């Protein structure tokens, strides 16, 4: 029998722990604050940001939402980031990606105070992660690590194959799996669009993380017997539904399930963890900035 991972259950447990941290901080006079900045008309981005704001409210974190017209120049976004950097009631800043084409993403990430960079995308935080001294682990790969731990999937000595090399998921995921310590020590391979014979790599994986952004690209023929399959993909594909689309992962679930021992569904797998880990990083940021200790889940 294949185990289907329940991401909502794990996320709720972590969020309960984060909520306790938020209470500890508030009782010490520090209300954790997260600012989200949206500079996009994209429906999916709007949905993600509003889900993040809603979770803040549920966990006792104060959410501040900022929208900037995507036609505005880069300076409008940079000025807003500068204000948020200087505002002591804001402990975490998240600029929803992607930003418009006329803005250089790297300039945005560098602009955010690294102590408030709850995405973990600032070069200083990326460097710390690679060096094995992470301050803010990027939310989605950190969530994958939490799921693997929750389902007792041993990473030490495992063959881990990450499909996708994005800055948001693929690269930090590989960096987490390869580091010393708990949730790491895996023999880690990163595959991508230029990989020769992708299936030959994925079939060897004990832990296969699909994060390529290609709908249902991983099927049973690419999954080794007994593997743990983690699907990070959230792809909108046209469908005859009320909304006109449905969400599918990078894994063909029904097919891959035939070989996998453990597998995440989409939705309800990795997705809920991304928000939980953002909340985790926000209370961690508030704790680091205030000096009030918290017991992170
Ligand atoms: N867009 C898609 N995923 C993310 C994320 O984790 N953080 C930010 N800031 N933008 C995203």
């Amino acid at each position: 029998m294949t185990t289907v991972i329940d991401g909502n259950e794990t996320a709720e447990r972590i969020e309960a722990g984060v909520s306790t941290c938020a209470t500890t901080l508030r009782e010490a006079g520090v209300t954790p604050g997260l600012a989200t900045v949206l500079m996009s008309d994209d429906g999916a981005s709007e949905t993600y940001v509003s889900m993040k704001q809603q979770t803040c409210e549920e966990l006792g974190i104060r959410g501040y939402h900022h929208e900037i017209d995507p036609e505005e120049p880069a300076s409008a976004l940079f000025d807003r980031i500068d204000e948020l950097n200087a505002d002591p009631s804001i402990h975490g800043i998240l600029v929803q990606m992607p930003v418009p084409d006329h803005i250089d993403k790297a300039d945005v990430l560098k602009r955010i105070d690294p102590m408030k960079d709850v995405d973990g995308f600032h070069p200083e935080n990326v460097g710390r992660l690679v060096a094995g001294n992470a301050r803010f682990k990027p939310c989605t790969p950190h969530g994958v690590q939490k799921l693997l731990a929750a389902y007792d999937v041993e990473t030490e000595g495992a063959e881990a194959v990450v499909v996708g090399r994005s800055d948001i998921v693929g690269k930090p995921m590989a960096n987490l799996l390869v580091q010393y310590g708990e949730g790491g020590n895996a023999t880690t391979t990163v595959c991508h669009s230029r990989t020769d014979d992708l299936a030959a790599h994925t079939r060897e994986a004990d832990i296969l993380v699909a994060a390529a952004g290609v709908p249902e690209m991983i099927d049973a023929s690419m999954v080794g017997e007994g593997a743990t399959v983690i699907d990070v993909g959230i792809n909108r594909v046209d469908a005859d539904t009320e909304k006109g689309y449905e969400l599918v992962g990078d894994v063909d679930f029904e097919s891959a399930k035939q070989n996998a021992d453990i597998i995440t569904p989409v939705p309800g797998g990795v997705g809920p963890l991304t928000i939980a880990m953002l909340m985790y990083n926000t209370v961690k940021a508030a704790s680091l900035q205030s000096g009030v200790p918290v017991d992170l889940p």
Side-chain angles (χ1 to χ4, degrees), residues 54-256:
Q54 193 190 326
T55 310
C56 280
E57 197 174 312
E58 289 164 10
L59 302 189
I61 294 169
R62 191 167 294 159
Y64 303 81
H65 181 56
H66 296 258
E67 288 190 14
I68 300 174
D69 189 320
E71 302 294 324
E72 292 274 318
S75 60
L77 177 57
F78 296 158
D79 290 350
R80 190 67 59 92
I81 293 171
D82 293 346
E83 287 164 25
L84 296 169
N85 282 340
D87 183 342
S89 60
I90 304 290
H91 303 99
I93 302 170
L94 178 139
V95 177
Q96 185 68 25
M97 297 292 159
V99 289
D101 288 343
H102 64 275
I103 299 178
D104 184 342
K105 183 181 90 170
D107 289 340
V108 177
L109 302 182
K110 271 190 302 198
R111 195 93 182 190
I112 297 170
D113 179 342
M115 293 302 291
K116 298 189 176 187
D117 169 37
V118 284
D119 268 321
F121 297 161
H122 186 286
E124 178 178 315
N125 288 321
V126 176
R128 290 183 66 126
L129 172 72
V130 174
N133 182 27
R135 177 189 284 138
F136 299 117
K137 294 183 183 179
C139 304
T140 301
H142 193 192
V144 171
Q145 233 181 4
K146 291 286 188 188
L147 276 183
L148 293 173
Y151 284 80
D152 294 325
V153 178
E154 180 61 84
T155 56
E156 182 161 332
E159 294 285 338
V161 175
V162 179
V163 182
R165 55 176 159 180
S166 69
D167 295 331
I168 293 181
V169 183
K171 281 190 243 173
M173 184 78 254
N175 276 313
L176 287 176
L177 287 165
V178 85
Q179 78 193 346
Y180 285 98
E182 223 173 295
N185 288 328
T187 303
T188 306
T189 303
V190 183
C191 298
H192 47 73
S193 53
R194 309 293 166 87
T195 296
D196 189 27
D197 200 352
L198 175 63
H201 290 282
T202 60
R203 274 196 295 268
E204 294 304 314
D206 300 311
I207 300 169
L208 176 58
V209 182
V214 180
E216 301 185 320
M217 68 176 288
I218 307 284
D219 65 14
S221 73
M222 301 172 77
V223 176
E225 207 54 61
T228 296
V229 178
I230 305 290
D231 189 353
V232 181
I234 306 179
N235 307 291
R236 281 188 180 192
V237 297
D238 292 340
D240 192 13
T241 62
E242 200 177 310
K243 290 179 173 159
Y245 66 85
E246 63 178 355
L247 295 179
V248 300
D250 289 0
V251 174
D252 179 342
F253 181 82
E254 290 304 331
S255 171

